[in-house]
Amino acid sequence: MSAFEDRQKGQEAKFAFDAEKQFKAEARRNKLLGIWAAELMGLEGDAAKAYATEVVAADFQEAGDEDVFRKVAGDLAAKGVSVGEDVIRQKMVALKATANEQIANEG
């Protein structure tokens, strides 16, 4: 195998690794966001875990973060919890950083 082919395979493996890491971090962020929102809605224990799972599943509706944002914002509003859109979006950014740290520390 040539050096070019070796380098190409290495780049493909890195791309796959980075994509998997990104997927894990987004799923972790969504779970953390679900737990945060569940606490705001007064959910505890199994109900909070179930809600966090719903938030993770919401991310599969479409590409990007808007599906997750709409789920959390809609559920908070439906429960009468007044949280601004900017607060939710800032929490998503902060929890993405937390999730990336957690994923990095696992490896």
Side-chain angles (χ1 to χ4, degrees):
M1 193 176 293
S2 72
F4 176 77
E5 289 171 332
D6 287 343
R7 190 171 68 214
Q8 185 176 8
K9 285 187 187 248
Q11 289 173 339
E12 289 171 359
K14 182 178 181 340
F15 178 81
F17 175 78
D18 289 347
E20 180 181 351
K21 193 167 112 178
Q22 176 75 15
F23 175 80
K24 286 180 179 180
E26 287 177 5
R28 177 78 53 93
R29 185 271 321 263
N30 294 340
K31 180 179 179 182
L32 295 171
L33 183 68
I35 291 169
W36 172 76
E39 289 175 0
L40 292 177
M41 292 185 284
L43 301 175
E44 297 177 353
D46 289 341
K49 289 178 187 175
Y51 181 74
T53 300
E54 289 178 24
V55 174
V56 171
D59 197 24
F60 296 108
Q61 293 175 1
E62 62 187 50
D65 294 335
E66 287 305 303
D67 46 1
V68 172
F69 172 78
R70 280 193 308 272
K71 163 100 177 118
V72 171
D75 292 346
L76 288 170
K79 290 282 190 175
V81 179
S82 179
V83 177
E85 289 185 6
D86 57 328
V87 173
I88 298 169
R89 292 189 190 280
Q90 289 170 359
K91 193 67 170 178
M92 291 174 76
V93 170
L95 291 175
K96 180 70 181 268
T98 300
N100 282 328
E101 286 178 21
Q102 290 178 356
I103 297 296
N105 291 333
E106 288 176 358

